[in-house]
Amino acid sequence: PSEPRRAALEILVRLESSPVTLDHLMETFHATTSLSARDIRFVHALVFGVQRWRYRIDAALAALAAKPQRKRDLHVHNILRMGLFQILEMDRVPSAAVVHTAVNLARASLVSMPSSSRSFRATSAAGRAVQETLGAHGQPQGGFLVQRR
C-alpha cells in the first residue's frame, strides 16, 4: 500500500482512538514525514476530506453493508472511509484501483491482529459492494450515497 494512504490511516485511527487533536497530529506528521510535497498534499486531502464527509460516508457504508455491522476495527473502518471518499470525491484514481489499494492496506494493517481474517473478509466484501454500487464514473447509483457538488 502507498505510504501516503498508510500515513492518512494512522492519523485517522489516532484521531479516533486518543484525545489528541487533529492539529497536533498534523503537526507531528509534518515534523516527522519524509514524504514528498505532492504526497503530503494527498495525505491532507484524505484526512480532511474523510473528516469533512465522515457522517455521510458512514451512512453510505452502513447502507452498503449486507448485514448490520458490529463495531468495526478502527483500521478497517477508516480504510473503508478513505476508499469511499476517494471514489466519490477524488476522481483521478479509478474505483477499481481504490478498492484494490484499500484491500492491500487492510491486509498490511490487519496481518498481526487476532481477528484479522474476519476483518479482512469484511473489508474485501465492503470494498466490492462499494465498487459494484458505483457507476463507471464513480457516481452513486440510486442517489443514496454522498451527492457530488
Side-chain angles (χ1 to χ4, degrees):
S2 75
E3 288 306 311
R5 286 178 181 88
R6 192 182 312 241
L9 175 63
E10 181 62 30
I11 292 167
L12 290 168
V13 168
R14 289 198 58 215
L15 182 61
E16 201 166 343
S17 64
S18 70
V20 180
T21 65
L22 181 56
D23 287 339
H24 178 75
L25 290 171
M26 294 309 289
E27 286 174 15
T28 302
F29 166 69
H30 281 281
T32 60
T33 191
S34 60
L35 294 175
S36 69
R38 180 180 179 195
D39 286 344
I40 290 171
R41 286 191 303 273
F42 185 66
V43 170
H44 276 247
L46 281 176
V47 170
F48 288 106
V50 166
Q51 285 304 107
R52 178 179 183 191
W53 296 106
R54 181 179 179 156
Y55 294 108
R56 286 185 176 180
I57 291 169
D58 285 351
L61 289 172
L64 291 169
K67 55 185 173 183
Q69 295 292 312
R70 294 174 294 196
K71 186 161 176 79
R72 283 190 182 107
D73 172 82
L74 286 178
H75 283 84
V76 171
H77 200 71
N78 281 295
I79 290 167
L80 292 171
R81 284 173 175 157
M82 288 188 328
L84 188 56
F85 173 74
Q86 287 177 84
I87 289 170
L88 295 173
E89 296 295 328
M90 301 176 88
D91 57 4
R92 290 186 166 209
V93 181
S95 324
V98 171
V99 172
H100 177 76
T101 303
V103 170
N104 286 339
L105 184 57
R107 182 179 288 130
S109 298
L110 299 171
V111 85
S112 64
M113 296 179 168
S115 62
S116 62
S117 64
R118 183 178 50 226
S119 294
F120 176 71
R121 283 194 304 272
T123 303
S124 286
R128 284 190 305 275
V130 168
Q131 185 179 16
E132 290 167 4
T133 304
L134 299 173
H137 300 290
Q139 295 295 322
Q141 300 296 314
F144 69 94
L145 297 176
V146 181
Q147 292 182 349
R148 297 198 53 96
R149 292 183 289 279

Short mmCIF file of all heavy atoms in Angstrom, two decimals, residues 64 84-91 93-95 129-149:
data_model
loop_
_atom_site.label_atom_id
_atom_site.label_comp_id
_atom_site.label_asym_id
_atom_site.label_seq_id
_atom_site.Cartn_x
_atom_site.Cartn_y
_atom_site.Cartn_z
N LEU A 64 -24.47 0.21 2.46
CA LEU A 64 -23.86 -0.78 1.58
C LEU A 64 -23.63 -2.12 2.27
O LEU A 64 -23.42 -3.13 1.59
CB LEU A 64 -22.52 -0.27 1.06
CG LEU A 64 -22.59 0.89 0.08
CD1 LEU A 64 -21.21 1.47 -0.14
CD2 LEU A 64 -23.21 0.44 -1.23
N LEU A 84 -14.01 5.06 0.16
CA LEU A 84 -15.26 5.64 -0.35
C LEU A 84 -15.08 7.12 -0.65
O LEU A 84 -15.55 7.61 -1.68
CB LEU A 84 -16.40 5.43 0.65
CG LEU A 84 -17.79 5.82 0.16
CD1 LEU A 84 -18.15 5.09 -1.13
CD2 LEU A 84 -18.83 5.53 1.23
N PHE A 85 -14.35 7.83 0.20
CA PHE A 85 -14.08 9.24 -0.08
C PHE A 85 -13.32 9.40 -1.40
O PHE A 85 -13.66 10.25 -2.22
CB PHE A 85 -13.29 9.88 1.07
CG PHE A 85 -12.85 11.28 0.75
CD1 PHE A 85 -13.76 12.32 0.74
CD2 PHE A 85 -11.54 11.55 0.42
CE1 PHE A 85 -13.37 13.61 0.41
CE2 PHE A 85 -11.13 12.83 0.09
CZ PHE A 85 -12.05 13.86 0.09
N GLN A 86 -12.31 8.58 -1.62
CA GLN A 86 -11.54 8.68 -2.87
C GLN A 86 -12.42 8.40 -4.09
O GLN A 86 -12.32 9.10 -5.09
CB GLN A 86 -10.38 7.68 -2.86
CG GLN A 86 -9.25 8.08 -1.94
CD GLN A 86 -8.19 7.01 -1.93
OE1 GLN A 86 -7.33 7.00 -2.79
NE2 GLN A 86 -8.27 6.11 -0.96
N ILE A 87 -13.27 7.40 -3.98
CA ILE A 87 -14.13 7.05 -5.11
C ILE A 87 -15.12 8.18 -5.42
O ILE A 87 -15.34 8.52 -6.58
CB ILE A 87 -14.88 5.73 -4.84
CG1 ILE A 87 -13.88 4.56 -4.90
CG2 ILE A 87 -16.02 5.53 -5.83
CD1 ILE A 87 -14.44 3.24 -4.41
N LEU A 88 -15.67 8.77 -4.38
CA LEU A 88 -16.72 9.76 -4.59
C LEU A 88 -16.20 11.18 -4.83
O LEU A 88 -16.83 11.95 -5.54
CB LEU A 88 -17.66 9.78 -3.39
CG LEU A 88 -18.46 8.49 -3.20
CD1 LEU A 88 -19.23 8.55 -1.89
CD2 LEU A 88 -19.39 8.25 -4.37
N GLU A 89 -15.07 11.52 -4.27
CA GLU A 89 -14.63 12.91 -4.32
C GLU A 89 -13.29 13.14 -5.02
O GLU A 89 -12.97 14.27 -5.34
CB GLU A 89 -14.53 13.48 -2.90
CG GLU A 89 -15.87 13.54 -2.18
CD GLU A 89 -16.84 14.50 -2.82
OE1 GLU A 89 -16.41 15.52 -3.40
OE2 GLU A 89 -18.06 14.24 -2.76
N MET A 90 -12.51 12.11 -5.23
CA MET A 90 -11.19 12.28 -5.85
C MET A 90 -11.18 11.47 -7.14
O MET A 90 -10.83 10.31 -7.14
CB MET A 90 -10.08 11.80 -4.89
CG MET A 90 -10.07 12.54 -3.58
SD MET A 90 -8.84 11.89 -2.43
CE MET A 90 -7.42 12.84 -2.91
N ASP A 91 -11.57 12.10 -8.21
CA ASP A 91 -11.85 11.37 -9.45
C ASP A 91 -10.63 11.00 -10.29
O ASP A 91 -10.77 10.46 -11.38
CB ASP A 91 -12.86 12.13 -10.30
CG ASP A 91 -12.40 13.55 -10.61
OD1 ASP A 91 -11.28 13.92 -10.24
OD2 ASP A 91 -13.19 14.28 -11.23
N VAL A 93 -8.33 8.69 -9.56
CA VAL A 93 -7.99 7.27 -9.44
C VAL A 93 -9.24 6.45 -9.73
O VAL A 93 -10.29 6.68 -9.14
CB VAL A 93 -7.46 6.95 -8.02
CG1 VAL A 93 -7.07 5.50 -7.89
CG2 VAL A 93 -6.29 7.85 -7.67
N PRO A 94 -9.15 5.46 -10.63
CA PRO A 94 -10.31 4.61 -10.93
C PRO A 94 -10.79 3.85 -9.69
O PRO A 94 -9.98 3.47 -8.84
CB PRO A 94 -9.78 3.64 -11.99
CG PRO A 94 -8.53 4.25 -12.51
CD PRO A 94 -7.97 5.11 -11.42
N SER A 95 -12.09 3.64 -9.59
CA SER A 95 -12.68 2.94 -8.45
C SER A 95 -12.02 1.60 -8.18
O SER A 95 -11.76 1.25 -7.04
CB SER A 95 -14.17 2.68 -8.63
OG SER A 95 -14.82 3.67 -9.30
N ALA A 129 -18.66 -4.21 -2.56
CA ALA A 129 -20.01 -3.61 -2.58
C ALA A 129 -19.95 -2.15 -3.00
O ALA A 129 -20.78 -1.69 -3.77
CB ALA A 129 -20.65 -3.74 -1.20
N VAL A 130 -18.95 -1.44 -2.49
CA VAL A 130 -18.79 -0.03 -2.88
C VAL A 130 -18.55 0.06 -4.38
O VAL A 130 -19.19 0.84 -5.09
CB VAL A 130 -17.62 0.63 -2.10
CG1 VAL A 130 -17.25 1.97 -2.71
CG2 VAL A 130 -18.00 0.80 -0.64
N GLN A 131 -17.64 -0.76 -4.88
CA GLN A 131 -17.30 -0.72 -6.30
C GLN A 131 -18.51 -1.08 -7.17
O GLN A 131 -18.78 -0.43 -8.18
CB GLN A 131 -16.16 -1.70 -6.59
CG GLN A 131 -15.65 -1.63 -8.01
CD GLN A 131 -14.50 -2.59 -8.23
OE1 GLN A 131 -14.26 -3.49 -7.43
NE2 GLN A 131 -13.78 -2.39 -9.31
N GLU A 132 -19.27 -2.10 -6.78
CA GLU A 132 -20.43 -2.52 -7.56
C GLU A 132 -21.55 -1.49 -7.52
O GLU A 132 -22.35 -1.40 -8.45
CB GLU A 132 -20.94 -3.87 -7.04
CG GLU A 132 -19.99 -5.01 -7.35
CD GLU A 132 -20.32 -6.28 -6.58
OE1 GLU A 132 -21.34 -6.30 -5.86
OE2 GLU A 132 -19.54 -7.24 -6.69
N THR A 133 -21.64 -0.73 -6.44
CA THR A 133 -22.71 0.24 -6.29
C THR A 133 -22.46 1.49 -7.10
O THR A 133 -23.38 2.24 -7.40
CB THR A 133 -22.89 0.61 -4.80
OG1 THR A 133 -23.11 -0.60 -4.08
CG2 THR A 133 -24.04 1.54 -4.58
N LEU A 134 -21.23 1.71 -7.46
CA LEU A 134 -20.89 2.92 -8.21
C LEU A 134 -20.91 2.67 -9.70
O LEU A 134 -20.58 1.60 -10.17
CB LEU A 134 -19.52 3.43 -7.78
CG LEU A 134 -19.43 3.80 -6.31
CD1 LEU A 134 -18.00 4.12 -5.95
CD2 LEU A 134 -20.33 4.98 -5.99
N GLY A 135 -21.27 3.69 -10.43
CA GLY A 135 -21.27 3.60 -11.88
C GLY A 135 -19.85 3.71 -12.43
O GLY A 135 -18.88 3.81 -11.70
N ALA A 136 -19.73 3.72 -13.72
CA ALA A 136 -18.44 3.74 -14.40
C ALA A 136 -17.60 4.96 -14.04
O ALA A 136 -16.38 4.91 -14.03
CB ALA A 136 -18.65 3.70 -15.90
N HIS A 137 -18.24 6.08 -13.71
CA HIS A 137 -17.50 7.30 -13.40
C HIS A 137 -17.49 7.61 -11.92
O HIS A 137 -17.25 8.73 -11.51
CB HIS A 137 -18.10 8.49 -14.16
CG HIS A 137 -18.07 8.28 -15.64
ND1 HIS A 137 -16.90 8.30 -16.36
CD2 HIS A 137 -19.05 8.01 -16.51
CE1 HIS A 137 -17.17 8.06 -17.63
NE2 HIS A 137 -18.46 7.88 -17.74
N GLY A 138 -17.74 6.59 -11.09
CA GLY A 138 -17.71 6.81 -9.66
C GLY A 138 -18.93 7.51 -9.12
O GLY A 138 -18.92 8.02 -8.02
N GLN A 139 -20.00 7.56 -9.90
CA GLN A 139 -21.22 8.21 -9.44
C GLN A 139 -22.08 7.19 -8.72
O GLN A 139 -22.21 6.06 -9.15
CB GLN A 139 -22.00 8.77 -10.63
CG GLN A 139 -21.28 9.88 -11.36
CD GLN A 139 -21.11 11.10 -10.49
OE1 GLN A 139 -21.99 11.45 -9.72
NE2 GLN A 139 -19.97 11.75 -10.61
N PRO A 140 -22.70 7.59 -7.61
CA PRO A 140 -23.57 6.68 -6.89
C PRO A 140 -24.77 6.27 -7.74
O PRO A 140 -25.31 7.07 -8.47
CB PRO A 140 -24.03 7.50 -5.69
CG PRO A 140 -23.08 8.64 -5.60
CD PRO A 140 -22.57 8.88 -6.98
N GLN A 141 -25.13 5.02 -7.65
CA GLN A 141 -26.33 4.53 -8.29
C GLN A 141 -27.48 4.64 -7.29
O GLN A 141 -27.35 4.23 -6.15
CB GLN A 141 -26.16 3.06 -8.71
CG GLN A 141 -25.03 2.84 -9.69
CD GLN A 141 -25.26 3.54 -11.00
OE1 GLN A 141 -26.35 3.47 -11.56
NE2 GLN A 141 -24.26 4.24 -11.48
N GLY A 142 -28.59 5.18 -7.68
CA GLY A 142 -29.74 5.28 -6.80
C GLY A 142 -29.73 6.50 -5.89
O GLY A 142 -30.66 6.75 -5.18
N GLY A 143 -28.65 7.28 -5.89
CA GLY A 143 -28.60 8.54 -5.16
C GLY A 143 -28.56 8.45 -3.65
O GLY A 143 -28.78 9.43 -2.99
N PHE A 144 -28.26 7.28 -3.08
CA PHE A 144 -28.27 7.21 -1.63
C PHE A 144 -26.92 7.45 -1.00
O PHE A 144 -26.79 7.50 0.21
CB PHE A 144 -28.85 5.87 -1.15
CG PHE A 144 -27.95 4.69 -1.44
CD1 PHE A 144 -27.05 4.24 -0.50
CD2 PHE A 144 -28.04 4.05 -2.64
CE1 PHE A 144 -26.24 3.16 -0.78
CE2 PHE A 144 -27.23 2.97 -2.92
CZ PHE A 144 -26.32 2.52 -1.99
N LEU A 145 -25.90 7.62 -1.79
CA LEU A 145 -24.58 7.90 -1.24
C LEU A 145 -24.36 9.40 -1.17
O LEU A 145 -25.29 10.18 -1.23
CB LEU A 145 -23.49 7.24 -2.11
CG LEU A 145 -23.54 5.73 -2.18
CD1 LEU A 145 -22.50 5.21 -3.14
CD2 LEU A 145 -23.33 5.11 -0.82
N VAL A 146 -23.14 9.80 -1.07
CA VAL A 146 -22.80 11.21 -0.98
C VAL A 146 -23.10 11.89 -2.32
O VAL A 146 -22.67 11.41 -3.36
CB VAL A 146 -21.30 11.37 -0.64
CG1 VAL A 146 -20.93 12.83 -0.53
CG2 VAL A 146 -20.95 10.63 0.62
N GLN A 147 -23.81 12.97 -2.29
CA GLN A 147 -24.11 13.69 -3.52
C GLN A 147 -22.92 14.53 -3.91
O GLN A 147 -22.29 15.17 -3.07
CB GLN A 147 -25.32 14.59 -3.33
CG GLN A 147 -26.58 13.81 -3.13
CD GLN A 147 -27.77 14.73 -2.99
OE1 GLN A 147 -27.65 15.94 -2.83
NE2 GLN A 147 -28.94 14.15 -3.03
N ARG A 148 -22.60 14.54 -5.18
CA ARG A 148 -21.47 15.35 -5.67
C ARG A 148 -21.88 16.80 -5.72
O ARG A 148 -23.03 17.13 -5.94
CB ARG A 148 -21.03 14.86 -7.04
CG ARG A 148 -20.53 13.42 -6.88
CD ARG A 148 -19.69 12.94 -7.99
NE ARG A 148 -18.57 13.69 -8.40
CZ ARG A 148 -17.33 13.47 -7.98
NH1 ARG A 148 -17.09 12.59 -7.04
NH2 ARG A 148 -16.33 14.13 -8.49
N ARG A 149 -20.91 17.66 -5.51
CA ARG A 149 -21.19 19.11 -5.53
C ARG A 149 -21.36 19.58 -6.93
O ARG A 149 -20.88 19.16 -7.88
CB ARG A 149 -20.05 19.87 -4.88
CG ARG A 149 -19.96 19.59 -3.40
CD ARG A 149 -18.85 20.42 -2.77
NE ARG A 149 -17.52 19.97 -3.13
CZ ARG A 149 -16.89 18.95 -2.58
NH1 ARG A 149 -17.48 18.28 -1.65
NH2 ARG A 149 -15.69 18.61 -2.94
#
